[in-house]
Amino acid sequence: MPYAMQITRAGGPEVFDRIHVPRPVPGPGQLLVRVAAVGVNFIETYQRAGVYAVEYPLVPGVEGAGTVEEVGAGVTGFGVGDRVATTEGEGSYAEYMVLDAGKALPVPDSVSDTVAAAVPAQGITAHYLVTSSYAVRAGDTALTYAGAGGVGLLLIQLLKLKGATVITTTSTPEKAKLAREAGADHVLDYARVPERVRELTGGRGVDVVYDGIGRDTFEGSLGALRIRGTLVLFGGASGQVPPYDLQQLNAHGSLTVTRPKIDDFLLDDEERRWRSSEVFGLVADGRLKVSIGAHFPLGQAGQAHAALESRATTGKVILVP
C-alpha cells in the first residue's frame, strides 16, 4: 500500500509516523497525482509543533510535483501522464495526493520533478512580491532579508531581472556568497541595517523593503525606506509584528505598509496560470536558478524539519518518496 507521513500530536520532529494508506480516488474535477517530490515549508514546522492550530492526525504539505495517474469526472486540460506541480495541495507528504484540477500547474518538460516541487510556493511568492505587492521598476533599489533562503534567492534574481539594485542580508559568509551569486549588489549582516542602507543610497533610503522576518526587523525596515517608500511584510519568521501606531508611518515619511499572503494572489485559474507560467518559463530558459539546499527521503520528514528549523539550510528542502 502507499504510505504517508502523519502527525498525531503536537511536538518535535520525532512525532512523525509512517502510515500505510489506501490509494486515493479522485472525485469530480480532481486529479490523482503520484508524488515525485515534496517541497517543505516553514509553516509545516509550526503546524507540527502546535504553534498553529490544526486538527490531528495530520498529513502535512501543500507543495509538490508529480505525474497524473487518474483524472476525475469533468476534468479538462489534463490527462494521464501529465506532469504537474502545486502549492495548494493537501497532504503532499505522501506517495499520492488528490488535487483539484484548477490548482494544478503544468510543468515544462525541461524542468525536473525536484525543481518543480521547489518552485510553486516560493517562486510564486517572489513573483507576486515584485509584480503586485510592489510593482518593481528599472532603477528601483530594494532591500530584502535572508538572501540565501528559498524565497530570498529567487527574489534577488527576479529583482535583478526587473532592473533593480538589490541590498540583502545574510548571517554567514557562506550564505553571503550564495546571495552574491544570485545577483545581490550589496550583502550585509544584520547589524545596523537602516544606517548602512542609508550609506549605500546616499541618505535617500530604498524604494521597497521585502520583509519576511517580521518582529525583529520591522522597525529597521521602516527606517531603511525613502520618503513614500513601501514596506511589504510577507512573513514573520521571528514572530508577528505587535500592534503599531500608524501615525508613525507619517513620521517616517508618508510610508506604505502592506501585509500580503499567497492565497490572495492566486484568486482564480487565470492568475495561477499567469504567475506559474512566468516563473516556470524563467526556470526553463535558465534565467531563474532554483537552489535545492537539501534532499531527504519522505520517511525522514522529521529530519527535514529539524534541518529547516536549525536554519542551517539554504535554498529549498525537498522530500522524495
Side-chain angles (χ1 to χ4, degrees):
M1 291 178 68
Y3 78 96
M5 298 303 294
Q6 180 178 264
I7 303 165
T8 56
R9 66 189 189 282
E14 74 282 353
V15 300
F16 276 103
D17 292 319
R18 176 172 172 151
I19 62 167
H20 290 285
V21 294
R23 185 176 185 270
V25 177
Q30 295 182 322
L31 306 172
L32 175 64
V33 178
R34 184 175 182 90
V35 178
V38 180
V40 180
N41 294 291
F42 215 91
I43 190 173
E44 290 140 25
T45 70
Y46 292 152
Q47 294 169 343
R48 186 214 71 230
V51 176
Y52 289 173
V54 295
E55 290 188 9
Y56 302 110
L58 171 71
V59 175
V62 298
E63 188 176 35
T67 302
V68 176
E69 287 209 350
E70 192 174 339
V71 176
V75 171
T76 59
F78 291 102
V80 173
D82 287 348
R83 297 174 62 239
V84 297
T86 189
T87 185
E88 298 175 278
E90 292 183 8
S92 64
Y93 285 31
E95 288 189 289
Y96 285 93
M97 68 174 169
V98 169
L99 176 65
D100 291 344
K103 297 177 180 179
L105 311 174
V107 175
D109 291 341
S110 61
V111 176
S112 71
D113 290 325
T114 300
V115 170
V119 166
Q122 293 170 338
I124 290 174
T125 294
H127 185 272
Y128 82 69
L129 290 176
V130 304
T131 60
S132 302
S133 293
Y134 174 87
V136 176
R137 298 166 299 217
D140 281 347
T141 301
L143 168 66
T144 76
Y145 296 98
V151 173
L153 289 168
L154 297 175
L155 185 56
I156 289 168
Q157 293 175 77
L158 290 183
L159 286 166
K160 295 306 297 180
L161 288 172
K162 292 282 187 180
T165 297
V166 180
I167 305 169
T168 193
T169 62
T170 62
S171 58
T172 68
E174 295 76 17
K175 291 183 177 182
K177 181 175 183 290
L178 291 174
R180 290 191 184 94
E181 289 172 350
D185 298 282
H186 307 282
V187 182
L188 311 176
D189 58 26
Y190 286 88
R192 298 178 52 250
V193 170
E195 295 86 352
R196 294 162 76 188
V197 165
R198 294 281 173 188
E199 293 168 2
L200 289 170
T201 59
R204 177 178 181 268
V206 296
D207 299 281
V208 60
V209 178
Y210 294 107
D211 186 341
I213 295 179
R215 182 178 58 203
D216 291 352
T217 51
F218 181 74
E219 289 287 351
S221 294
L222 294 176
L225 284 167
R226 65 165 172 83
I227 292 174
R228 289 171 24 201
T230 298
L231 168 56
V232 183
L233 181 68
F234 68 96
S238 68
Q240 299 307 312
V241 175
Y244 186 75
D245 178 7
L246 296 182
Q247 184 61 23
Q248 293 301 309
L249 302 180
N250 177 317
H252 279 290
S254 302
L255 303 180
T256 297
V257 177
T258 182
R259 179 60 174 92
K261 65 179 186 295
I262 191 170
D263 293 353
D264 294 331
F265 295 86
L266 294 170
L267 289 183
D268 53 37
D269 292 356
E270 182 179 1
E271 187 167 28
R272 287 185 185 93
R273 292 298 179 91
W274 165 51
R275 296 195 189 280
S276 65
S277 65
E278 286 203 357
V279 173
F280 274 123
L282 291 170
V283 173
D285 67 17
R287 287 187 290 165
L288 186 63
K289 305 293 185 183
V290 179
S291 174
I292 308 297
H295 298 79
F296 292 86
L298 178 59
Q300 295 180 10
Q303 290 94 317
H305 275 213
L308 193 62
E309 289 174 306
S310 74
R311 301 192 183 277
T313 62
T314 59
K316 188 73 174 182
V317 175
I318 294 292
L319 296 172
V320 180

